[in-house]
Amino acid sequence: MNITVYLGANEGNDPTLREAVAELGTWIGSSGNRLIYGGSKCGLMGVLAENVIKAGGEAIGVEPQFFIDEELQYDELTELIVTKDMPERKAKMIELGDAFIAFPGGTGTLEEISEIMAMVSLGHLDAPCILYNLDGYYDSLKAFMNKMIEKGLSTVERQKGITFASTLDEIREILS
């Protein structure tokens, strides 16, 4: 399975993030799945790819040319796909993915997983959409989505393909 993971190129200030993303990468690499991600060597993205590769797995990076020009790519990748810009990068990551995970991240992570959430809710994408709710990171988003249902702007049916997982074990269960 190709697992597309959205996450930040920053490491953040909580060491739990690094530990959890390393664990996620080790699982992807040792389970026979393949990582699809943004291609960076920086921050949490680099930690994820490094652990996938160390565990014997494949890591495919999808990175726009302007990041390559800044030499931000992870050079040990199984494959690096270079795109002309961010919209092409997002489309390629969606095309390659069989499942989608949003690890805690910043506005870019939110923007990318929001597109997946919309596609899943509209029935345009039949794939698991998982928000890794590590230490309650996505609790506010979960409450907001419930508010959408409460106000009649969304439905339980529309949101049924979008899940929140607090642990790697829950992610493994969803993807099994």
Side-chain angles (χ1 to χ4, degrees), residues 16 21 33 37 40 59 76 78 97 102-103 112 123 134 139 149 151 156 169:
T16 332
V21 83
N33 295 308
Y37 87 116
S40 179
E76 305 301 317
T78 308
F103 193 81
E112 290 169 321
L134 183 68
D139 282 351
I149 294 169
K151 295 292 183 180
V156 172
D169 285 340

Side-chain angles (χ1 to χ4, degrees), residues 57-69:
E58 295 181 27
I60 298 173
V62 183
E63 193 146 42
Q65 183 62 51
F66 68 89
F67 283 146
I68 302 295
D69 294 343

Side-chain angles (χ1 to χ4, degrees), residues 77-148:
L77 295 174
T78 308
E79 181 180 355
L80 178 64
I81 299 169
V82 180
T83 63
K84 68 179 183 196
D85 56 24
M86 292 296 277
E88 186 179 310
R89 173 201 207 183
K90 286 191 331 177
K92 189 64 170 175
M93 290 174 73
I94 292 169
E95 174 191 323
L96 293 173
D98 299 312
F100 300 85
I101 298 172
F103 193 81
T107 53
T109 301
L110 182 60
E111 187 263 339
E112 290 169 321
I113 200 62
S114 293
E115 184 168 352
I116 301 301
M117 292 166 68
M119 292 175 74
V120 166
S121 72
L122 293 171
H124 295 169
L125 182 62
D126 183 21
C129 174
I130 303 166
L131 291 108
Y132 194 164
N133 197 25
L134 183 68
D135 295 331
Y137 189 81
Y138 286 111
D139 282 351
S140 296
L141 180 58
K142 190 174 188 179
F144 182 58
M145 291 178 66
N146 287 331
K147 178 68 86 176
M148 291 175 189

